[in-house]
Amino acid sequence: LVLQALQARGYEFPRVYRKKEDICILIRSLGLPDEYGHGTSFSMNHPILERVINDEAVYANSDVFSSSTELESTDPLYHIRQMQPTLTGLIGIPYIGHPVHREREVKGTIVANYDPNKLSTLIKGVSPSGEVQVHEGLILSDIGEIIGEKVANIVDLEFLARQNEQLRKTTEALEQSNKHLTDQAYTDELTGMSNRRRFGIDLAEHMTSIARGFNYNLLIYDCDGFKGVNDSQNGGHPRGDQFLRDKAELLLKLQRQDTRVIKTYRLC
């Protein structure tokens, strides 16, 4: 977020260095070519980088390349100096990281370059003559404002994502509930077979298909003498219900095993 904030303000090549003894390691950057990517290391030979890391202070210098400091070819500052000589300014912000996989804190610095002639567009509150009285306060408040906007946007996106996820779950629950109600409306409660209402709907669809040239067979299974079983002294209605369940189980099993059987119904 800090690198993006620097870039949004107009600073060039924002990047993060980590100090490891006398070596500087580039661990994150925006805008640098691949050869200066993650893991690039070079000797800590630049006084400004050393000052930012060792003194733990925000530092801004508009003529950082005017000194006779020799830069290694692996140093991103070398590339910037060669390719964009107008970027002679440098801003440095110290940071202390606390990675989970390390026992000790990691010191480093966040650095970005700029064209001093564009200073008034980079830092709010700069005087017409280009003078900046309080570098640290202006720079940090400026970057903090941009980061605050980015964080707010992230929070908004996360809130919308949570709302969308909740809406998705609610929609799924409603679909499941509607499916359950539909299944109940078209299923015979006793046998688990499709009921007469479902048969009427399906029959109309099949008749339409028949008119278009499709062929279907309709088989009706009539249980002779069922009323006598259902009204008998020996079991009565419970015995009749079990009889229907047993027959339905056989027909449903046939439906599952034989692909020619499309659906089975209880009509009465």
Side-chain angles (χ1 to χ4, degrees):
L1 287 178
V2 174
L3 297 188
Q4 291 176 355
L6 287 166
Q7 195 175 58
R9 174 52 63 203
Y11 290 94
E12 301 281 350
F13 305 110
R15 52 207 185 275
V16 181
Y17 296 105
R18 178 170 65 86
K19 181 182 179 184
K20 186 177 181 182
E21 298 176 351
D22 293 329
I23 298 295
C24 231
I25 302 174
L26 181 67
I27 61 176
R28 189 71 184 251
S29 66
L30 294 179
L32 281 175
D34 293 339
E35 57 265 33
Y36 299 104
H38 180 83
T40 302
S41 61
F42 53 93
S43 301
M44 176 68 74
N45 63 356
H46 200 288
I48 291 181
L49 295 181
E50 281 191 286
R51 174 171 178 177
V52 172
I53 291 177
N54 296 330
D55 296 350
E56 299 182 13
V58 174
Y59 188 88
N61 190 317
S62 61
D63 59 352
V64 66
F65 294 133
S66 63
S67 66
S68 59
T69 303
E70 293 294 329
L71 301 173
E72 298 181 19
S73 60
T74 55
D75 188 336
L77 285 171
Y78 178 88
H79 164 79
I80 295 168
R81 185 177 189 181
Q82 296 295 317
M83 301 301 295
Q84 293 184 250
T86 59
L87 300 179
T88 59
L90 180 144
I91 176 177
I93 305 170
Y95 87 95
I96 299 178
H98 299 273
V100 177
H101 62 283
R102 294 181 181 274
E103 295 181 0
R104 294 186 300 174
E105 63 188 21
V106 176
K107 282 189 176 183
T109 183
I110 299 169
V111 171
N113 294 88
Y114 64 90
D115 182 347
N117 293 326
K118 298 179 180 179
L119 187 65
S120 59
T121 64
L122 298 176
I123 304 175
K124 293 180 180 178
V126 68
S127 67
S129 62
E131 296 179 355
V132 181
Q133 298 297 324
V134 186
H135 285 298
E136 184 169 345
L138 288 172
I139 292 168
L140 291 182
S141 65
D142 208 17
I143 295 172
E145 182 179 328
I146 300 173
I147 293 176
E149 293 174 0
K150 288 183 176 291
V151 170
N153 290 336
I154 291 173
V155 170
D156 288 343
L157 290 174
E158 290 179 344
F159 176 71
L160 289 175
R162 287 195 299 271
Q163 279 192 321
N164 289 336
E165 179 63 16
Q166 184 60 44
L167 180 60
R168 184 187 65 80
K169 290 180 178 179
T170 302
T171 302
E172 285 183 356
L174 287 173
E175 289 175 352
Q176 289 293 329
S177 178
N178 289 336
K179 183 179 182 302
H180 180 67
L181 291 173
T182 301
D183 290 343
Q184 282 186 319
Y186 295 116
T187 302
D188 177 59
E189 185 176 357
L190 177 64
T191 63
M193 302 171 72
S194 297
N195 60 18
R196 187 176 189 131
R197 185 185 296 110
R198 181 78 262 177
F199 175 75
I201 295 173
D202 292 347
L203 181 62
E205 293 179 357
H206 293 327
M207 293 300 290
T208 301
S209 298
I210 290 172
R212 295 174 181 171
F214 289 89
N215 293 318
Y216 296 96
N217 293 315
L218 175 63
L219 284 80
I220 298 178
Y221 178 48
D222 184 20
C223 300
D224 291 335
F226 175 71
K227 180 173 175 56
V229 175
N230 208 37
D231 294 342
S232 68
Q233 297 287 330
N234 186 20
H237 287 291
R239 185 182 176 189
D241 289 347
Q242 188 59 51
F243 174 84
L244 291 175
R245 282 194 291 266
D246 291 342
K247 299 307 177 190
E249 185 178 345
L250 291 173
L251 293 173
L252 290 172
K253 182 178 180 181
L254 178 63
Q255 177 182 320
R256 290 191 296 269
Q257 294 176 343
D258 193 334
T259 56
R260 294 173 299 176
V261 179
I262 300 175
K263 193 173 290 187
T264 54
Y265 307 86
R266 181 189 175 189
L267 302 183
C268 60

